[in-house]
Amino acid sequence: MTLTDRRRPRRAVVAALLSSAVLAGVVGVAPAALAATPEGSAAVAERCSPLPDQDQRALRNAIAGLPNSDVNGALVRVSGEAGCWRGTSGVAKDGSRRPVPDNARFRIGSMTKTFTAVTVLRLVADGSIDLDRPIQHYLPDLLPADRPPITVRQVLTYTSGLQGLAVNSKDPSWFFEHRFDTFRPGEQLDTRAPLLFQPGEKQHYGNADYIVAGLLVEKVTGRRWERVVEDTILRPLGMGDTVAPGVDPKIHGPHARAYEAVTRNGRTTLVDVTEANPSLQWSAASMISTAADLDRFLVALFSGRLLPQEQLDVMLTVPDVMTYDGDDDPTNDVKAVHSAGLTQFTLNGVTIWGKTGDRPGYNNGMGATTDLRRRLVYSVNTLHMGQPQPAIAGRVITAAFPKNT
């Protein structure tokens, strides 16, 4: 593995990027910096008016000032009956004047789980899977015989207690050594590890459950998870820029390069991390998409085009349990927020259902009100993998869902 090391001090890197951004005009979809772009949504077949001026200003401010020491670039797409706005900031490649493409493809990380959840629930709808039947019925050789029954519903809602392989793929030292390793489906699990809790008692968010969900899809259909997702969701919705890449390490088509800021001998350089084998993340976090495709997906999901109401209700129901925190102190317990493939949160009095996801160099999210009046998709090119959600993402979400949305 070769690391691209430009041997420039971090201060010089930032200065060069800022200079490039100024010269390039920090171009968004329109020819001006961070310009709002009214647009028609192919998914809802309506002409979309611009967002109110104050909302546009808030979004422009949310992604202004890029690149900086934490983020190289960003793109934002806000859509819905209340108006539309699209904008980008920063640069697509270190040291260049090229802006982040509005149609950029990016690694969506754990937003993949939403696609896997829909795929499983489609199989539930057609009678191929029973949500309340133990996973052991479908995958009898997956878990040790002494494990208690774990239902499909518990797998989809992260309440199984299962554990994944004990590796931190977002730790730079691990990533640089193993970024091109190939993992076969199921190797991402530690099935011999004890359950974190009895199934159904707590919620523990992670990839393990959705690796099991991918195995379930393959077992029931007799086909690869990637192909089932394509045939079930991507092709019917015309999501031509979205892929489940398998072991392909590249992002094909327009995209912003991803970097990690690495300090050696007192100097910080940007190392290109765009390419990596996504098989470790597989059915939990491997997919690549665009803002336009993800918006189309949200519209199809919440308008009932992907699932019957009974199965959609499963995605809109958070289990009534506490989040697993590793201790037995009930005074610091926090209620679960994840459903089957989605997360519920309230902002400015608005209830939003969506999903975030990140991979090295990419931190992203999608979310919508269930009436589709306001929808958001964003991608931020972070420079420090494995860190909490960057501040810019929080600003974007807050600006996209103001009061009275």
Side-chain angles (χ1 to χ4, degrees):
M1 175 179 59
T2 300
L3 303 184
T4 304
D5 183 345
R6 281 170 292 281
R7 306 290 181 189
R8 285 188 287 160
R10 176 64 185 146
R11 185 174 298 173
V13 171
V14 174
L17 288 170
L18 288 171
S19 176
S20 296
V22 171
L23 291 171
V26 199
V27 179
V29 183
L34 307 179
T37 304
E39 61 173 7
S41 170
V44 294
E46 65 178 9
R47 184 157 185 82
C48 196
S49 59
L51 284 175
D53 289 345
Q54 62 184 16
D55 291 1
Q56 294 188 45
R57 285 194 299 271
L59 287 163
R60 283 195 296 269
N61 291 337
I63 60 174
L66 300 183
N68 59 32
S69 60
D70 295 315
V71 174
N72 240 28
L75 69 85
V76 176
R77 181 188 185 98
V78 176
S79 310
E81 294 178 9
C84 296
W85 189 88
R86 291 159 63 184
T88 69
S89 182
V91 293
K93 185 177 181 180
D94 174 37
S96 78
R97 301 182 182 185
R98 186 159 56 90
V100 174
D102 173 68
N103 62 341
R105 301 181 182 190
F106 48 89
R107 299 190 186 279
I108 68 173
S110 286
M111 294 154 77
T112 301
K113 293 179 175 68
T114 314
F115 289 82
T116 298
V118 169
T119 302
V120 172
L121 289 170
R122 286 283 291 261
L123 293 168
V124 171
D126 71 18
S128 299
I129 293 175
D130 184 337
L131 266 180
D132 296 309
R133 178 164 281 185
I135 200 76
Q136 290 95 326
H137 170 80
Y138 301 100
L139 299 164
D141 300 324
L142 179 65
L143 302 176
D146 62 352
R147 291 292 185 269
I150 296 171
T151 67
V152 175
R153 189 189 303 271
Q154 288 165 346
V155 165
L156 290 182
T157 57
Y158 315 97
T159 57
S160 70
L162 292 168
Q163 297 195 55
L165 197 63
V167 300
N168 184 358
S169 63
K170 298 173 188 176
D171 175 77
S173 60
W174 190 96
F175 176 85
F176 288 132
E177 183 177 353
H178 298 283
R179 64 190 290 189
F180 295 115
D181 291 357
T182 295
F183 291 80
R184 293 190 300 272
E187 288 185 340
Q188 305 90 340
L189 301 170
D190 186 355
T191 58
R192 295 288 174 182
L195 297 180
L196 294 174
F197 44 81
Q198 286 299 300
E201 288 188 354
K202 299 275 188 177
Q203 183 174 83
H204 177 66
Y205 178 83
N207 285 352
D209 288 294
Y210 275 75
I211 297 298
V212 174
L215 294 173
L216 175 63
V217 169
E218 293 200 332
K219 181 70 172 184
V220 170
T221 64
R223 301 163 58 217
R224 292 176 56 204
W225 165 79
E226 292 88 345
R227 300 290 82 81
V228 180
V229 170
E230 289 172 5
D231 292 344
T232 300
I233 303 172
L234 305 187
R235 288 199 185 98
L237 294 185
M239 296 176 64
D241 294 327
T242 302
V243 295
V247 298
D248 187 349
K250 297 181 179 296
I251 299 178
H252 301 278
H255 61 279
R257 303 297 294 182
Y259 299 95
E260 175 72 8
V262 175
T263 301
R264 300 190 187 101
N265 301 320
R267 289 187 171 187
T268 300
T269 57
L270 297 187
V271 178
D272 194 311
V273 296
T274 310
E275 296 180 3
N277 185 327
S279 60
L280 174 61
Q281 290 74 40
W282 192 47
S283 54
S286 69
M287 291 176 68
I288 294 167
S289 190
T290 64
D293 270 7
L294 291 170
D295 181 68
R296 186 173 297 115
F297 174 71
L298 286 173
V299 171
L301 178 61
F302 292 130
S303 63
R305 290 172 54 199
L306 283 173
L307 293 171
Q309 190 61 50
E310 182 179 355
Q311 281 71 47
L312 181 56
D313 286 345
V314 175
M315 298 191 72
L316 298 175
T317 302
V318 175
D320 186 19
V321 298
M322 296 296 178
T323 298
Y324 173 76
D325 58 10
D327 64 45
D328 296 322
D329 181 3
T331 63
N332 61 5
D333 284 353
V334 177
K335 288 187 71 67
V337 295
H338 305 290
S339 64
L342 292 173
T343 304
Q344 181 188 39
F345 63 101
T346 301
L347 180 65
N348 293 326
V350 179
T351 298
I352 304 158
W353 290 89
K355 189 73 187 72
T356 58
D358 70 292
R359 294 305 308 142
Y362 300 95
N363 185 285
N364 327 286
M366 62 179 177
T369 55
T370 54
D371 62 5
L372 296 171
R373 179 173 171 79
R374 181 64 64 90
R375 310 186 300 275
L376 165 68
V377 182
Y378 69 87
S379 178
V380 174
N381 297 114
T382 58
L383 299 176
H384 307 281
M385 68 177 73
Q387 299 300 306
Q389 185 184 66
I392 185 174
R395 293 197 298 270
V396 167
I397 296 168
T398 300
F401 294 99
K403 290 182 179 179
N404 304 315
T405 294

